[in-house]
Structures are given as C-alpha cells and as structure tokens.
Amino acid sequence: MPHILIVDDEPDLAGLLAYNLGRAGFTTTQVHTGAEALARVREALPDLVLLDLMLPDMDGAELFCQLRAHPDTRHLRVLVLSARPDAHSRVQGVDVILKPFKVQEVVARVTALLPTP
C-alpha cells in the first residue's frame, strides 16, 4: 500500500484526511510540525507528502526546499495544502490545493498521483 505523510498543524483536519485516505487504500502517518516531518522522512520515505505551508515551527515552503535539497528526498512527491492564496508562487512546480477544500478532492488528487493496486 502506498504510504502518505500528512504534515498539518490542525490535528482534526489531519485525522479527517487520514481516515478518508485509509478508506481509499492508503496508509498514513500524521505529524504536526516541520521538525516532526523531517524526522519521519529520515526514518522511512513516504510515497507522498501532504504538506500544509503554515506550520508552527517552520514555514512549509522552507520544509519543501529542504526536501528538494537532499538527494534522498529530491524526487519525493509533494501535494501542498494551503490557505494562502499565494501558495502557487511560494512552491513552484508542485500541485497545490487551496483551503478550504473538499476531502474528496484531496483523495482524488492523491489517487491520481499514487494509484493503489
């Protein structure tokens, strides 16, 4: 099963995403800070990262840049979730879903990126 790392500082939203992605055939891990995300990625590479840009300890765009700068995570798939209307310009070359969104939209986008067997 493809594994998704959910990086969002809103535990309720992360839980809702995890539940719906689980029903769609994915496994998930939830973290709520950039530091936790970096630690998890170092432990085991996920197949995709759902990344909120507004994290409490670091800017999500900075986390994205750190992932792109490291050879082991350079090609990691990232789908940005953001309430910021300028999100497209802050992380260029990545899919962005603006908040508020429908959970089904996120599941559909993830399924398009990572088809389950």
Side-chain angles (χ1 to χ4, degrees):
M1 274 191 201
H3 187 75
I4 300 166
L5 178 63
I6 301 169
V7 185
D8 197 302
D9 64 335
E10 298 176 45
D12 291 340
L13 177 58
L16 182 64
L17 289 167
Y19 173 78
N20 284 278
L21 289 165
R23 291 190 55 157
F26 300 97
T27 61
T28 62
T29 300
Q30 302 171 48
V31 296
H32 307 295
T33 67
E36 289 176 308
L38 288 172
R40 292 293 176 128
V41 166
R42 286 186 193 113
E43 289 172 12
L45 281 179
D47 295 293
L48 182 133
V49 176
L50 284 179
L51 176 61
D52 182 14
L53 290 185
M54 295 176 17
L55 299 172
D57 62 335
M58 75 169 53
D59 187 291
E62 173 59 30
L63 174 58
F64 175 78
C65 289
Q66 287 185 37
L67 292 173
R68 286 294 180 256
H70 195 279
D72 292 340
T73 57
R74 180 171 293 135
H75 301 291
L76 189 60
R77 290 182 175 139
V78 177
L79 178 58
V80 169
L81 307 174
S82 180
R84 296 182 61 142
D86 65 340
H88 290 283
S89 63
R90 296 187 69 225
V91 284
Q92 296 177 358
V94 167
D95 284 337
V96 176
I97 297 178
L98 292 176
K99 294 179 180 180
F101 52 75
K102 294 185 180 193
V103 174
Q104 297 87 344
E105 177 187 1
V106 176
V107 172
R109 193 86 65 94
V110 169
T111 301
L113 292 169
L114 297 174
T116 56

